[in-house]
Amino acid sequence: MMNQLKIFNSLTGEKEIFKPLHENNVGMYVCGPTVYSNVHLGNVRTFMSFDFVYRTLKFLGYKVRYVRNITDAGHLTDDGDVNNDRFVKQSRLEKLEPMEIVQKYTVDFHKVLQIFNLLPPTIEPTATGHILEQIQLTEKLLADGFAYESNGSVYFDVLEYNKRGLNYGELSRRNIEELFANTRDLDGQGEKRNPQDFALWKKASPAHIMRWASPWGDGFPGWHLECTVMSTKYLGNQFDIHGGGMDLKFPHHECEIAQGKAGHGESPVRYWMHANMLTMNGQRMSKSTGNYILPMQLISGENTFFEKPFAPAVIRFCFMQAHYRSVLDISNEAMLAAEKGFNRLMEAVKTLNEMSTDLEHPGPLSYEIDQWKQKCYDALLDDFNSPILIAHLFEMVKWINSDEKISVGELRELKDLMNAFVYDVLGLQNEQQTSNSNDKLDGVLQLLINMRMEARANRDWALSDKIRDELLALGIQLKDGKEGTSYTVS
Ligand code: AMP
Ligand code: ZN
């Protein structure tokens, strides 16, 4: 009997039975990166947490529309000065156009996530591709009295929102009266009526390069508005799951709820999910404090925190060993332990896959496999509990390493299940497969090298040059030496 999926909903603070709006379909939105610098390993953890959620939902049979945006405009370091535009600041630093910054770090983001075997979302919208929709929603909020224009910028009126019985602060459980009382005096002189009001649209100063025409003059959109527009455009005014890192709960997600309720008349999200933070040596990973490591530095070993390099699949395994709602600390010891565990698991999977199903092995384990399967499913159904799933997988590792026998049918089922949990659900890459495909690439290249040699022996220079040049275009350089021809792959 399949139990029901339960999700911890940050909005209610409770684990709830998951009922999608449309049976068997799930709409999920996850806040994507602000592409002004390389993603650090902490960012990767959050995206991997939701990759696991996505993989699990698919495994459970849901058809998932998974939207993860790219923030390529408008995410200021604070709500005020345009000098705090991350893209503009970084473009000055690197002497590149802001859109070159966006491109450079979007490419890096994709590359990193691919290395960790994250599946791409089904839609990946950009903020700059949805300026029109953001202007339209701002106009609607203005027309309905939820926003006001001030000196070419437009702000959301939090007090007005609350006056109408809507409840700003419901997600982060902040008391709005207190928020007002604490901050009113500090920021009373600015463009905003109240310091809690947030920008829907910001006026661009003459020097600000990232700008778009609007009914309020040239400007750029507010960060919170981007996510509201992109999520509801592709998933509907109300959709099933919204995810992001814990640190986005307030103000970002609080503002998304306010914009959705005020703009579309309903609370936008049914299940809010927040992934917990990655810490390194006990301290939160963050660019601003300097306590961070880039994924490639951990993979290559070029860093001062870890004594050796670690494979991407080992890092992924380490992350999966923690529940997404728990803080995860990485240290040299934790990584070494994860590597040991990973190798043990993968070794057992290999042994299992090599067990022959040709022979009949009658054995006593039939009921246990069903039970084991149920336990693995239950772990997934209980708010995506990856560490419990892994603990159950290790029970099976013990069995694989014992001499007990099972029937062919059970062995087949066990292979299918184990491979599905390890590769499809946990997303652990098979190092074996990678080295296999390296072997295959090597075989193909040797074949081409031999064909080129034959072509040269036949004085078919056109063919021999073609092989060399086209490989070069693919980043594979042939080198002719005394020992024959070798190649390097860049
Ligand atoms: P940003 O590009 O700054 O918007 O961040 C991208 C995502 O990474 C957000 O969902 C953040 O919540 C998340 N994030 C930032 N720092 C950490 C951390 N130390 N651990 C886990 N997630 C993080
Ligand atoms: Zn967002």
Short mmCIF file of all heavy atoms in Angstrom, two decimals, residues 30-37 39-47 49-50 71 75 86 109 223 243-249 252-253 275-280 283-287 291 328, ligand 1:
data_model
loop_
_atom_site.label_atom_id
_atom_site.label_comp_id
_atom_site.label_asym_id
_atom_site.label_seq_id
_atom_site.Cartn_x
_atom_site.Cartn_y
_atom_site.Cartn_z
N VAL A 30 11.08 27.41 -8.23
CA VAL A 30 12.21 27.58 -7.31
C VAL A 30 12.97 28.85 -7.71
O VAL A 30 13.26 29.06 -8.90
CB VAL A 30 13.17 26.36 -7.36
CG1 VAL A 30 14.43 26.60 -6.55
CG2 VAL A 30 12.46 25.10 -6.84
N CYS A 31 13.26 29.70 -6.71
CA CYS A 31 14.01 30.92 -7.01
C CYS A 31 15.40 30.55 -7.51
O CYS A 31 16.13 29.81 -6.85
CB CYS A 31 14.16 31.78 -5.75
SG CYS A 31 12.61 32.45 -5.18
N GLY A 32 15.74 31.07 -8.67
CA GLY A 32 17.03 30.75 -9.28
C GLY A 32 18.12 31.70 -8.80
O GLY A 32 17.92 32.52 -7.91
N PRO A 33 19.28 31.60 -9.41
CA PRO A 33 20.42 32.40 -8.95
C PRO A 33 20.38 33.83 -9.49
O PRO A 33 19.73 34.09 -10.50
CB PRO A 33 21.60 31.67 -9.59
CG PRO A 33 21.04 31.16 -10.88
CD PRO A 33 19.61 30.78 -10.59
N THR A 34 21.05 34.72 -8.79
CA THR A 34 21.30 36.05 -9.32
C THR A 34 22.67 35.96 -9.98
O THR A 34 23.67 35.75 -9.29
CB THR A 34 21.30 37.09 -8.17
OG1 THR A 34 20.07 36.93 -7.46
CG2 THR A 34 21.40 38.50 -8.70
N VAL A 35 22.68 36.05 -11.30
CA VAL A 35 23.88 35.66 -12.04
C VAL A 35 24.89 36.81 -12.20
O VAL A 35 25.17 37.26 -13.30
CB VAL A 35 23.51 35.05 -13.42
CG1 VAL A 35 23.02 33.63 -13.26
CG2 VAL A 35 22.45 35.89 -14.11
N TYR A 36 25.45 37.23 -11.07
CA TYR A 36 26.46 38.29 -11.12
C TYR A 36 27.80 37.79 -10.63
O TYR A 36 28.78 38.52 -10.61
CB TYR A 36 26.01 39.51 -10.30
CG TYR A 36 26.06 39.29 -8.82
CD1 TYR A 36 27.06 39.84 -8.04
CD2 TYR A 36 25.09 38.50 -8.19
CE1 TYR A 36 27.12 39.61 -6.67
CE2 TYR A 36 25.14 38.26 -6.83
CZ TYR A 36 26.15 38.82 -6.09
OH TYR A 36 26.20 38.58 -4.73
N SER A 37 27.86 36.52 -10.18
CA SER A 37 29.15 35.94 -9.77
C SER A 37 28.99 34.42 -9.75
O SER A 37 27.89 33.91 -9.94
CB SER A 37 29.55 36.45 -8.38
OG SER A 37 28.67 35.93 -7.41
N VAL A 39 28.45 30.68 -8.62
CA VAL A 39 27.68 30.10 -7.50
C VAL A 39 28.66 29.42 -6.55
O VAL A 39 29.62 28.78 -6.98
CB VAL A 39 26.65 29.04 -7.96
CG1 VAL A 39 25.39 29.66 -8.44
CG2 VAL A 39 27.22 28.07 -8.98
N HIS A 40 28.43 29.59 -5.25
CA HIS A 40 29.27 28.88 -4.27
C HIS A 40 28.58 27.57 -3.89
O HIS A 40 27.44 27.30 -4.29
CB HIS A 40 29.64 29.77 -3.09
CG HIS A 40 28.50 30.26 -2.25
ND1 HIS A 40 27.65 29.42 -1.58
CD2 HIS A 40 28.07 31.52 -1.98
CE1 HIS A 40 26.75 30.13 -0.92
NE2 HIS A 40 26.98 31.41 -1.16
N LEU A 41 29.27 26.78 -3.08
CA LEU A 41 28.76 25.46 -2.79
C LEU A 41 27.45 25.51 -1.98
O LEU A 41 26.62 24.61 -2.08
CB LEU A 41 29.83 24.66 -2.02
CG LEU A 41 29.71 23.16 -2.10
CD1 LEU A 41 29.86 22.64 -3.51
CD2 LEU A 41 30.74 22.49 -1.20
N GLY A 42 27.26 26.58 -1.21
CA GLY A 42 26.01 26.76 -0.46
C GLY A 42 24.84 26.90 -1.41
O GLY A 42 23.79 26.26 -1.24
N ASN A 43 25.01 27.72 -2.45
CA ASN A 43 23.94 27.86 -3.45
C ASN A 43 23.63 26.50 -4.07
O ASN A 43 22.47 26.14 -4.26
CB ASN A 43 24.36 28.81 -4.58
CG ASN A 43 24.80 30.18 -4.11
OD1 ASN A 43 25.84 30.68 -4.50
ND2 ASN A 43 24.02 30.79 -3.24
N VAL A 44 24.70 25.75 -4.36
CA VAL A 44 24.50 24.44 -4.99
C VAL A 44 23.65 23.55 -4.10
O VAL A 44 22.79 22.82 -4.57
CB VAL A 44 25.86 23.76 -5.29
CG1 VAL A 44 25.67 22.32 -5.74
CG2 VAL A 44 26.63 24.54 -6.35
N ARG A 45 23.88 23.64 -2.78
CA ARG A 45 23.09 22.76 -1.90
C ARG A 45 21.60 23.03 -2.06
O ARG A 45 20.80 22.10 -2.15
CB ARG A 45 23.48 22.96 -0.42
CG ARG A 45 22.70 21.97 0.41
CD ARG A 45 22.74 22.12 1.89
NE ARG A 45 21.90 21.07 2.49
CZ ARG A 45 21.39 21.10 3.68
NH1 ARG A 45 21.65 22.11 4.48
NH2 ARG A 45 20.62 20.13 4.11
N THR A 46 21.22 24.30 -2.07
CA THR A 46 19.79 24.62 -2.20
C THR A 46 19.24 24.09 -3.52
O THR A 46 18.19 23.46 -3.55
CB THR A 46 19.57 26.14 -2.05
OG1 THR A 46 19.78 26.48 -0.68
CG2 THR A 46 18.18 26.54 -2.45
N PHE A 47 19.96 24.33 -4.61
CA PHE A 47 19.44 23.86 -5.90
C PHE A 47 19.40 22.33 -5.94
O PHE A 47 18.50 21.74 -6.55
CB PHE A 47 20.28 24.44 -7.05
CG PHE A 47 20.16 25.94 -7.13
CD1 PHE A 47 21.27 26.76 -7.04
CD2 PHE A 47 18.91 26.53 -7.24
CE1 PHE A 47 21.14 28.15 -7.06
CE2 PHE A 47 18.76 27.91 -7.27
CZ PHE A 47 19.88 28.72 -7.18
N SER A 49 18.88 20.39 -3.31
CA SER A 49 17.74 19.97 -2.49
C SER A 49 16.48 19.91 -3.35
O SER A 49 15.71 18.95 -3.26
CB SER A 49 17.51 20.95 -1.34
OG SER A 49 18.60 20.93 -0.45
N PHE A 50 16.29 20.92 -4.19
CA PHE A 50 15.08 20.93 -5.01
C PHE A 50 15.20 20.01 -6.22
O PHE A 50 14.19 19.54 -6.75
CB PHE A 50 14.68 22.37 -5.37
CG PHE A 50 14.18 23.09 -4.15
CD1 PHE A 50 14.97 24.01 -3.48
CD2 PHE A 50 12.95 22.76 -3.60
CE1 PHE A 50 14.54 24.62 -2.30
CE2 PHE A 50 12.50 23.36 -2.43
CZ PHE A 50 13.30 24.30 -1.78
N THR A 71 17.72 35.31 -12.31
CA THR A 71 17.61 36.72 -11.99
C THR A 71 18.75 37.45 -12.68
O THR A 71 19.91 37.33 -12.26
CB THR A 71 17.62 36.95 -10.46
OG1 THR A 71 16.44 36.34 -9.92
CG2 THR A 71 17.62 38.42 -10.11
N HIS A 75 18.23 42.81 -8.81
CA HIS A 75 18.41 42.35 -7.43
C HIS A 75 19.46 43.24 -6.75
O HIS A 75 20.65 43.00 -6.84
CB HIS A 75 18.86 40.88 -7.44
CG HIS A 75 18.88 40.26 -6.09
ND1 HIS A 75 19.07 38.91 -5.91
CD2 HIS A 75 18.72 40.77 -4.86
CE1 HIS A 75 19.04 38.63 -4.62
NE2 HIS A 75 18.84 39.74 -3.96
N ARG A 86 23.84 44.86 -8.32
CA ARG A 86 24.90 43.86 -8.36
C ARG A 86 25.54 43.74 -9.74
O ARG A 86 26.74 43.56 -9.88
CB ARG A 86 24.33 42.50 -7.98
CG ARG A 86 24.00 42.37 -6.51
CD ARG A 86 23.29 41.05 -6.29
NE ARG A 86 23.46 40.54 -4.94
CZ ARG A 86 22.60 40.76 -3.95
NH1 ARG A 86 21.54 41.48 -4.16
NH2 ARG A 86 22.82 40.26 -2.75
N PHE A 109 26.83 28.80 -14.03
CA PHE A 109 25.78 28.16 -13.21
C PHE A 109 25.34 26.84 -13.84
O PHE A 109 25.29 25.80 -13.18
CB PHE A 109 24.61 29.14 -13.09
CG PHE A 109 23.37 28.58 -12.46
CD1 PHE A 109 23.37 28.23 -11.12
CD2 PHE A 109 22.20 28.42 -13.19
CE1 PHE A 109 22.21 27.72 -10.52
CE2 PHE A 109 21.06 27.92 -12.61
CZ PHE A 109 21.06 27.57 -11.27
N TRP A 223 13.11 42.96 -7.48
CA TRP A 223 13.44 41.53 -7.47
C TRP A 223 12.23 40.66 -7.10
O TRP A 223 11.96 39.64 -7.73
CB TRP A 223 14.58 41.33 -6.47
CG TRP A 223 14.96 39.92 -6.18
CD1 TRP A 223 15.04 38.89 -7.07
CD2 TRP A 223 15.33 39.39 -4.91
NE1 TRP A 223 15.46 37.74 -6.42
CE2 TRP A 223 15.64 38.02 -5.09
CE3 TRP A 223 15.45 39.93 -3.62
CZ2 TRP A 223 16.06 37.19 -4.05
CZ3 TRP A 223 15.87 39.11 -2.59
CH2 TRP A 223 16.17 37.75 -2.81
N GLY A 243 9.78 26.85 -3.85
CA GLY A 243 10.96 26.56 -3.03
C GLY A 243 12.00 27.65 -3.11
O GLY A 243 11.98 28.51 -3.99
N GLY A 244 12.92 27.59 -2.16
CA GLY A 244 14.05 28.52 -2.13
C GLY A 244 14.83 28.28 -0.85
O GLY A 244 14.41 27.49 0.01
N GLY A 245 15.95 28.96 -0.71
CA GLY A 245 16.73 28.85 0.52
C GLY A 245 16.00 29.54 1.66
O GLY A 245 15.19 30.45 1.44
N MET A 246 16.29 29.08 2.87
CA MET A 246 15.69 29.61 4.10
C MET A 246 15.82 31.13 4.18
O MET A 246 14.93 31.82 4.66
CB MET A 246 16.48 28.99 5.26
CG MET A 246 15.73 28.85 6.51
SD MET A 246 14.58 27.52 6.38
CE MET A 246 15.19 26.46 7.68
N ASP A 247 16.95 31.65 3.71
CA ASP A 247 17.20 33.09 3.83
C ASP A 247 16.31 33.92 2.92
O ASP A 247 16.29 35.14 3.02
CB ASP A 247 18.69 33.39 3.55
CG ASP A 247 19.14 32.88 2.19
OD1 ASP A 247 18.55 31.90 1.70
OD2 ASP A 247 20.08 33.46 1.62
N LEU A 248 15.56 33.27 2.03
CA LEU A 248 14.68 34.03 1.14
C LEU A 248 13.27 34.21 1.70
O LEU A 248 12.44 34.91 1.12
CB LEU A 248 14.59 33.35 -0.24
CG LEU A 248 15.91 33.20 -1.01
CD1 LEU A 248 15.62 32.71 -2.42
CD2 LEU A 248 16.67 34.51 -1.07
N LYS A 249 13.02 33.55 2.84
CA LYS A 249 11.68 33.61 3.44
C LYS A 249 11.24 35.06 3.64
O LYS A 249 10.13 35.45 3.30
CB LYS A 249 11.75 32.91 4.79
CG LYS A 249 10.62 31.96 5.05
CD LYS A 249 10.73 31.48 6.48
CE LYS A 249 10.33 30.06 6.62
NZ LYS A 249 10.35 29.62 8.03
N HIS A 252 11.85 38.29 0.74
CA HIS A 252 11.52 37.94 -0.65
C HIS A 252 10.19 37.18 -0.78
O HIS A 252 9.29 37.60 -1.52
CB HIS A 252 12.68 37.15 -1.25
CG HIS A 252 12.54 36.86 -2.71
ND1 HIS A 252 12.24 37.82 -3.64
CD2 HIS A 252 12.63 35.70 -3.42
CE1 HIS A 252 12.17 37.28 -4.84
NE2 HIS A 252 12.39 35.99 -4.73
N HIS A 253 10.07 36.08 -0.09
CA HIS A 253 8.85 35.27 -0.27
C HIS A 253 7.63 35.90 0.39
O HIS A 253 6.51 35.74 -0.09
CB HIS A 253 9.09 33.85 0.25
CG HIS A 253 10.10 33.11 -0.58
ND1 HIS A 253 10.78 32.01 -0.13
CD2 HIS A 253 10.55 33.32 -1.85
CE1 HIS A 253 11.60 31.57 -1.08
NE2 HIS A 253 11.48 32.37 -2.13
N ALA A 275 14.76 25.29 1.99
CA ALA A 275 15.92 24.43 2.20
C ALA A 275 16.88 25.11 3.17
O ALA A 275 17.05 26.33 3.12
CB ALA A 275 16.61 24.17 0.87
N ASN A 276 17.48 24.30 4.01
CA ASN A 276 18.37 24.89 5.01
C ASN A 276 19.77 25.14 4.46
O ASN A 276 20.13 24.70 3.38
CB ASN A 276 18.41 24.02 6.27
CG ASN A 276 18.49 24.87 7.53
OD1 ASN A 276 19.14 25.93 7.51
ND2 ASN A 276 17.85 24.45 8.58
N MET A 277 20.55 25.83 5.26
CA MET A 277 21.84 26.36 4.80
C MET A 277 22.98 25.36 4.88
O MET A 277 22.96 24.43 5.68
CB MET A 277 22.21 27.57 5.66
CG MET A 277 21.26 28.74 5.55
SD MET A 277 21.41 29.58 3.96
CE MET A 277 19.87 29.17 3.18
N LEU A 278 23.97 25.59 4.06
CA LEU A 278 25.22 24.85 4.14
C LEU A 278 26.19 25.68 4.98
O LEU A 278 26.33 26.88 4.75
CB LEU A 278 25.80 24.65 2.74
CG LEU A 278 27.09 23.84 2.68
CD1 LEU A 278 26.83 22.37 2.95
CD2 LEU A 278 27.77 24.00 1.33
N THR A 279 26.82 25.03 5.93
CA THR A 279 27.87 25.71 6.69
C THR A 279 29.19 24.99 6.41
O THR A 279 29.20 23.84 5.99
CB THR A 279 27.58 25.69 8.21
OG1 THR A 279 27.50 24.34 8.65
CG2 THR A 279 26.28 26.39 8.56
N MET A 280 30.28 25.71 6.61
CA MET A 280 31.59 25.07 6.45
C MET A 280 32.36 25.33 7.73
O MET A 280 32.48 26.49 8.14
CB MET A 280 32.32 25.64 5.23
CG MET A 280 33.63 24.93 4.97
SD MET A 280 34.24 25.22 3.29
CE MET A 280 34.58 26.97 3.34
N GLN A 283 30.42 27.50 10.20
CA GLN A 283 30.00 28.87 9.91
C GLN A 283 29.25 28.90 8.58
O GLN A 283 29.67 28.22 7.63
CB GLN A 283 31.27 29.72 9.75
CG GLN A 283 31.24 30.99 10.51
CD GLN A 283 32.29 31.94 9.95
OE1 GLN A 283 33.31 31.54 9.38
NE2 GLN A 283 32.05 33.22 10.11
N ARG A 284 28.18 29.66 8.51
CA ARG A 284 27.39 29.71 7.29
C ARG A 284 28.23 30.09 6.08
O ARG A 284 29.06 31.00 6.14
CB ARG A 284 26.27 30.73 7.48
CG ARG A 284 25.51 30.93 6.22
CD ARG A 284 24.16 31.48 6.48
NE ARG A 284 23.67 32.07 5.25
CZ ARG A 284 22.69 32.94 5.20
NH1 ARG A 284 22.11 33.32 6.30
NH2 ARG A 284 22.31 33.43 4.06
N MET A 285 27.99 29.36 4.98
CA MET A 285 28.74 29.67 3.77
C MET A 285 28.16 30.91 3.11
O MET A 285 26.97 30.99 2.85
CB MET A 285 28.69 28.49 2.80
CG MET A 285 29.67 28.66 1.68
SD MET A 285 29.93 27.17 0.72
CE MET A 285 30.83 26.14 1.83
N SER A 286 29.01 31.88 2.87
CA SER A 286 28.53 33.12 2.28
C SER A 286 29.70 33.87 1.66
O SER A 286 30.80 33.88 2.21
CB SER A 286 27.83 33.95 3.37
OG SER A 286 28.08 35.31 3.20
N LYS A 287 29.43 34.48 0.53
CA LYS A 287 30.49 35.22 -0.16
C LYS A 287 30.97 36.40 0.68
O LYS A 287 32.15 36.70 0.73
CB LYS A 287 29.96 35.74 -1.50
CG LYS A 287 30.00 34.69 -2.58
CD LYS A 287 30.82 35.16 -3.76
CE LYS A 287 31.27 33.99 -4.58
NZ LYS A 287 30.97 34.09 -5.99
N ASN A 291 33.77 32.99 4.03
CA ASN A 291 33.72 31.56 4.39
C ASN A 291 32.95 30.82 3.29
O ASN A 291 31.78 30.48 3.44
CB ASN A 291 33.03 31.37 5.75
CG ASN A 291 33.08 29.93 6.20
OD1 ASN A 291 34.16 29.31 6.23
ND2 ASN A 291 31.94 29.35 6.52
N LEU A 328 23.51 21.68 7.16
CA LEU A 328 24.55 20.69 6.84
C LEU A 328 25.91 21.37 6.95
O LEU A 328 26.13 22.43 6.37
CB LEU A 328 24.34 20.15 5.42
CG LEU A 328 25.49 19.34 4.83
CD1 LEU A 328 25.74 18.06 5.61
CD2 LEU A 328 25.23 19.00 3.37
P1 AMP B 1 21.24 34.06 -4.70
O1 AMP B 1 21.90 33.87 -6.04
O2 AMP B 1 22.04 34.87 -3.75
O3 AMP B 1 19.81 34.56 -4.83
O4 AMP B 1 21.16 32.61 -4.01
C1 AMP B 1 20.73 31.47 -4.68
C2 AMP B 1 20.17 30.47 -3.70
O5 AMP B 1 21.19 29.97 -2.82
C3 AMP B 1 19.07 31.03 -2.78
O6 AMP B 1 17.98 30.12 -2.76
C4 AMP B 1 19.74 31.12 -1.42
O7 AMP B 1 18.81 30.93 -0.41
C5 AMP B 1 20.71 29.97 -1.49
N1 AMP B 1 21.86 30.07 -0.53
C6 AMP B 1 22.66 31.14 -0.29
N2 AMP B 1 23.60 30.84 0.67
C7 AMP B 1 23.39 29.54 1.03
C8 AMP B 1 24.01 28.61 1.96
N3 AMP B 1 25.06 28.96 2.71
N4 AMP B 1 23.50 27.36 2.04
C9 AMP B 1 22.45 26.98 1.27
N5 AMP B 1 21.82 27.79 0.39
C10 AMP B 1 22.27 29.05 0.26
#
